[in-house]
Amino acid sequence: MILDAIVLDNFGIYGGRQEIILTPEREGRPIVLFGGLNGGGKTTFLDAVQLAFYGTKARCSNRGKLAYHDYLRAAIHRDADPGEGASLAIHFRRAVDGETHSYRLLRAWREGVRGIEETVEVLCDGEPDSTLSQHWDEYIESYIPSGIAHLFFFDAEQIKDLAEGEQAAELLGTAIHSLLGLDLVDQLETDLVVLERRKKATGKTGEQARRLQHAEEELARLERMQEEATTEQAKLNGVLTDLTREVEECEKRFQREGGELFERRTELEDELAVLKDGLADEENLMRQAASGAAPLLLIAPMLGELEIQLRREAKVRRAQVLVTALEDRDAKVLKQLRKARSPASEIERLDTILREDRDERRGLSTESCYLHADENLPSELRHLCETVLRDEKEKISAQIEATSRLRNGLLKTEVTLARVPDEDVIARLQRDRETLRIRHQQKKAEVDALDAKFQLIVRQRVAAQEAVKRALEEDTELKFGREDRDRILKHSAKVRGTLAKFRTAIIRKHALRIERLMLEAFTQLLRKTSLVTALKIDPETFRIELTGGEGRPLPFERLSSGERQLLATSLLWGLARASGRPLPTIIDTPLGRLDSSHRRHLVERYFPVASHQVILLSTDEEIDEDSLKRLRPHIGRTYHLQFDEALRSTRVTPGYFWNHEAAC
């Protein structure tokens, strides 16, 4: 099946007549991408497709508990004439007995003298087909049963419900029943139970018949109450969902306006004070260091030179003392030799030797001294440079680093504080956020109370069913006066037993194939073959049982939020493939609840192969510029849904956000 076009005429937010071509332009480019902001008409488009095909059975997003004709009346564009009404037309192709036929389905309605008047008209290959027009509901149910439509037309909320795990069994059970045609078996079993009740009631007289009638009336009353409670739940959950979305949007606005910084203002001010105190302490320590030996670090090289000079002068002084002592000694020696009347030649030779020795030693003693310092001063200078000043240098370096770190932190904190908005700017947003939170809490309390009431009704209904069952069991103990009634009841019970066995057998027969397709889809999306190695569907409860890489059970809760949503998508994908029906896939808000990595999995591994025709209804934050680049080779057409405030209507124009064209 290929959807070629859809025409919306004054439907919902779409004013006037707008025709949208949906046929993929080229082979290998199955995706038709719609871009629109929230409230721009994406969900209305999905509602339009389902309403056109299924009428009263359509699962429209905003119908709630409205009667069908009331919903149609509300779906007429606000500025349109109710007498002119609204209409939806879908052009599509499908193969029948090996031949491709073109169809045009038109569903129109208007406000008439007797309320809403609806018409359905079908053209086959350009010619009116009265049979299809009159029996369209039966025709579409035989081709795409409404019970499996959500496998091909779905939104992020449906993925969310499946990913939660609690409602997955119920949704899967409904889909598998419809997929395998078991809803007919269920209806047959219900009809047999009704037949048995009627037959048994014919044999009742007096008090026993009244007890059975009372039990059945009580059961019918509780069934009505459960149905009403279900409708009310759907309505309240819809309101709660809207409030949740409003709270999230308000939180985003609050963050954009600097609300988080405003709430951290006191914390930032305390942090600033701590940083200032720490900086002041470090500066005091540095001032204390400056009052001691630390300034000498500035002349450390000069102190080294001073030590060298002091040691040099000490050597000079020692040389001078030595030369003086040698002169005195040599004079005394020569004097003694003269007294002893030693030969003059010997005395002269010795004098020459002693004078030459003194001259050799006299070189250092001739240098001048300037400092005349104490002998211990060089050692004290060495200790000062190598010990005291080295310790001071390490201490000051640590203090400088700490001071720099504190100043950087102080600057960052001051910059952050400067970005804190004024209280009068943020006050309105705070009030709005608090009001929405209170409304959300109140509505959540209503939902919880209604859930409790619903559970009570369910328990009472189960008890009433048991009461009817007991009454019927008592009835079977009575002997009927007529043989045909016994025979009908006997064979009816056998048929119901056979139907129960048939239901279980048919589910088990097809379960392996469905499980295999689901597991293949999940593995293809996640590409983690070791995460989930097996997937089983309980044929009785329809609960999903996962097996991990080590052969151990893998509970839903062990999967991350993104993995659960990919698993939910895989369940729908596997069921759609199991249906064997070549149908288009329409996805509303496809990536709203996924992180970036799991979004990329869907963009690259699911959307291009989900079907031969894939219609995506996305915001600019879901299919963003990066995702658009990845999808571009698979996109056949793009459209932009733009809401015109002046016209109070959404217009459909070619292209996407950022002026992207499909031909690019």
Side-chain angles (χ1 to χ4, degrees):
M1 179 182 187
I2 290 285
L3 299 179
D4 288 317
I6 184 171
V7 181
L8 303 98
D9 192 354
N10 284 324
F11 176 70
I13 200 171
Y14 295 91
R17 183 182 186 279
Q18 300 191 58
E19 181 174 1
I20 307 171
I21 304 301
L22 301 175
T23 309
E25 275 192 341
R26 307 181 207 168
E27 187 176 352
R29 293 197 170 199
I31 296 177
V32 180
L33 178 60
F34 285 79
L37 301 179
N38 290 331
K42 300 185 301 299
T43 303
T44 304
F45 179 92
L46 180 59
D47 289 344
V49 174
Q50 298 191 85
L51 180 62
F53 277 133
Y54 297 103
T56 58
K57 294 182 180 179
R59 299 182 179 182
C60 297
S61 62
N62 58 350
R63 179 175 173 181
K65 65 176 183 178
L66 283 176
Y68 178 62
H69 283 175
D70 292 336
Y71 172 73
L72 290 182
R73 181 181 291 107
I76 299 174
H77 186 66
R78 66 182 74 180
D79 294 332
D81 181 1
E84 293 292 330
S87 67
L88 299 169
I90 293 184
H91 299 256
F92 65 95
R93 286 171 284 149
R94 65 162 296 206
V96 180
D97 297 329
E99 295 183 6
T100 300
H101 298 276
S102 297
Y103 297 84
R104 176 181 179 270
L105 166 65
L106 173 66
R107 186 180 296 273
W109 63 94
R110 68 182 187 86
E111 184 78 42
V113 293
R114 288 183 292 183
I116 292 294
E117 300 172 356
E118 183 187 24
T119 58
V120 176
E121 179 182 86
V122 181
L123 277 70
C124 179
D125 295 331
E127 298 294 330
D129 191 320
S130 59
T131 302
L132 280 180
S133 299
Q134 293 174 12
H135 302 283
W136 174 256
D137 290 342
E138 294 87 346
Y139 175 83
I140 194 64
E141 278 294 327
S142 66
Y143 180 51
I144 317 175
S146 58
I148 65 169
H150 63 282
L151 302 181
F152 304 93
F153 311 143
F154 57 92
D155 58 16
E157 290 301 317
Q158 187 172 331
I159 295 294
K160 172 181 174 292
D161 292 340
L162 269 174
E164 297 291 345
E166 297 296 329
Q167 302 183 34
E170 179 181 348
L171 293 173
L172 284 177
T174 302
I176 292 176
H177 269 70
S178 298
L179 194 64
L180 301 179
L182 295 178
D183 47 348
L184 298 177
V185 176
D186 295 338
Q187 184 60 48
L188 178 57
E189 188 174 16
T190 301
D191 293 343
L192 287 173
V193 171
V194 173
L195 176 63
E196 289 179 21
R197 289 179 184 175
R198 290 175 180 172
K199 288 296 181 182
K200 291 176 181 178
T202 59
K204 288 288 183 182
T205 56
E207 183 62 28
Q208 190 173 4
R210 284 192 292 274
R211 283 202 306 271
L212 178 59
Q213 181 182 1
H214 175 74
E216 290 180 334
E217 289 175 352
E218 179 65 12
L219 178 59
R221 184 183 71 84
L222 290 169
E223 287 175 344
R224 288 194 301 272
M225 289 180 64
Q226 183 175 347
E227 183 177 353
E228 292 171 357
T230 301
T231 302
E232 184 65 21
Q233 273 184 322
K235 180 181 177 182
L236 278 179
N237 282 327
V239 174
L240 184 61
T241 299
D242 293 341
L243 277 175
T244 301
R245 189 178 297 112
E246 288 184 32
V247 169
E248 291 174 352
E249 291 176 356
C250 186
E251 288 286 354
K252 290 179 181 177
R253 290 197 305 272
F254 188 73
Q255 298 301 327
R256 286 197 301 268
E257 295 294 333
E260 182 180 1
L261 289 177
F262 181 80
E263 292 180 335
R264 291 183 54 219
R265 183 178 59 182
T266 302
E267 176 188 343
L268 290 170
E269 290 174 346
D270 293 343
E271 182 180 343
L272 183 66
V274 170
L275 289 171
K276 286 182 176 179
D277 291 343
L279 183 60
D281 292 342
E282 290 296 333
E283 290 175 345
N284 285 334
L285 290 174
M286 292 186 70
R287 280 192 287 270
Q288 292 175 10
S291 65
L296 293 176
L297 288 169
L298 299 173
I299 58 170
M302 297 176 64
L303 292 177
E305 295 174 359
L306 176 61
E307 180 190 353
I308 293 172
Q309 181 63 28
L310 288 172
R311 293 189 182 279
R312 182 73 178 178
E313 289 191 5
K315 290 180 179 180
V316 169
R317 287 196 299 273
R318 286 196 295 272
Q320 290 174 347
V321 171
L322 178 60
V323 169
T324 302
L326 289 175
E327 288 177 346
D328 292 342
R329 183 203 65 181
D330 293 346
K332 289 179 181 180
V333 168
L334 292 173
K335 184 178 180 181
Q336 290 295 328
L337 288 175
R338 290 188 183 99
K339 284 183 178 182
R341 297 185 181 275
S342 295
S345 60
E346 290 294 327
I347 293 173
E348 183 178 353
R349 187 169 62 84
L350 180 60
D351 184 28
T352 301
I353 292 171
L354 292 175
R355 186 172 59 254
E356 290 176 353
D357 178 64
R358 289 196 304 274
D359 290 343
E360 288 179 2
R361 298 175 182 275
R362 197 184 304 277
L364 184 63
S365 65
T366 59
E367 293 184 11
S368 300
C369 294
Y370 307 102
L371 301 176
H372 306 288
D374 186 85
E375 291 288 338
N376 296 324
L377 186 57
S379 299
E380 293 174 356
L381 271 176
R382 179 174 293 275
H383 173 73
L384 175 66
C385 292
E386 293 183 354
T387 303
V388 176
L389 292 184
R390 184 187 60 190
D391 293 344
E392 285 292 323
K393 183 177 181 180
E394 291 176 355
K395 185 191 303 182
I396 289 174
S397 296
Q399 289 173 344
I400 290 174
E401 182 179 353
T403 302
S404 177
R405 187 170 56 252
L406 288 169
R407 283 176 177 164
N408 289 336
L410 187 66
L411 179 61
K412 290 180 181 178
T413 305
E414 288 175 341
V415 170
T416 304
L417 273 171
R419 290 166 49 206
V420 174
D422 294 335
E423 185 173 0
D424 56 349
V425 174
I426 209 70
R428 179 179 59 80
L429 282 176
Q430 277 187 311
R431 290 194 301 272
D432 292 346
R433 186 179 65 161
E434 188 62 28
T435 301
L436 281 173
R437 282 179 173 176
I438 293 173
R439 288 175 58 197
H440 183 272
Q441 291 171 357
Q442 292 172 343
K443 193 57 64 177
K444 182 67 169 58
E446 292 181 31
V447 170
D448 292 342
L450 185 58
D451 287 343
K453 177 183 176 182
F454 180 80
Q455 294 301 325
L456 176 61
I457 293 173
V458 169
R459 290 194 295 272
Q460 292 176 340
R461 179 174 173 270
V462 171
Q465 286 176 328
E466 289 296 323
V468 171
K469 182 179 178 181
R470 286 194 299 271
L472 290 173
E473 288 174 350
E474 292 173 2
D475 186 54
T476 59
E477 297 174 0
L478 297 177
K479 294 182 179 180
F480 299 103
R482 291 178 295 180
E483 183 178 345
D484 61 333
R485 186 172 59 209
D486 289 334
R487 179 174 52 80
I488 290 173
L489 290 171
K490 178 181 178 181
H491 288 292
S492 177
K494 285 184 177 180
V495 170
R496 285 194 291 109
T498 302
L499 290 175
K501 294 177 182 177
F502 172 79
R503 181 191 296 105
T504 303
I506 201 70
I507 291 173
R508 284 176 177 165
K509 177 181 178 182
H510 292 276
L512 288 176
R513 177 169 172 266
I514 295 174
E515 292 165 355
R516 177 176 57 80
L517 290 172
M518 289 179 176
L519 184 58
E520 286 178 0
F522 184 53
T523 303
Q524 181 173 341
L525 284 183
L526 198 59
R527 291 190 180 170
K528 285 185 181 179
T529 55
S530 61
L531 179 63
V532 177
T533 58
L535 183 150
K536 295 291 182 185
I537 301 174
D538 190 316
E540 301 289 339
T541 63
F542 297 101
R543 292 186 65 85
I544 297 291
E545 298 175 1
L546 304 176
T547 302
E550 299 178 354
R552 297 178 180 176
L554 179 63
F556 259 65
E557 306 78 51
R558 289 277 302 279
L559 299 177
S560 68
S561 176
E563 290 169 345
R564 288 201 300 270
Q565 292 186 57
L566 289 183
L567 176 60
T569 303
S570 303
L571 300 182
L572 292 177
W573 192 10
L575 286 170
R577 293 170 62 192
S579 73
R581 292 172 170 85
L583 299 174
T585 295
I586 304 177
I587 310 174
D588 179 20
T589 319
L591 303 174
R593 298 177 177 271
L594 287 174
D595 58 29
S596 59
S597 63
H598 292 111
R599 286 186 177 194
R600 189 165 57 252
H601 291 176
L602 286 184
V603 167
E604 296 178 350
R605 305 169 192 168
Y606 175 56
F607 295 154
V609 296
S611 177
H612 60 280
Q613 184 180 23
V614 181
I615 298 175
L616 299 180
L617 305 163
S618 172
T619 66
D620 58 340
E621 293 183 355
E622 295 177 84
I623 306 297
D624 54 17
E625 293 187 74
D626 181 61
S627 299
L628 188 61
K629 291 178 182 178
R630 299 175 186 276
L631 275 181
R632 186 173 296 169
H634 310 287
I635 295 176
R637 295 181 185 275
T638 58
Y639 291 102
H640 191 192
L641 307 179
Q642 294 178 295
F643 181 76
D644 190 324
E645 292 286 350
L647 299 176
R648 298 194 299 175
S649 171
T650 288
R651 308 300 298 175
V652 184
T653 57
Y656 190 67
F657 299 103
W658 317 291
N659 298 320
H660 171 74
E661 295 294 339
C664 293

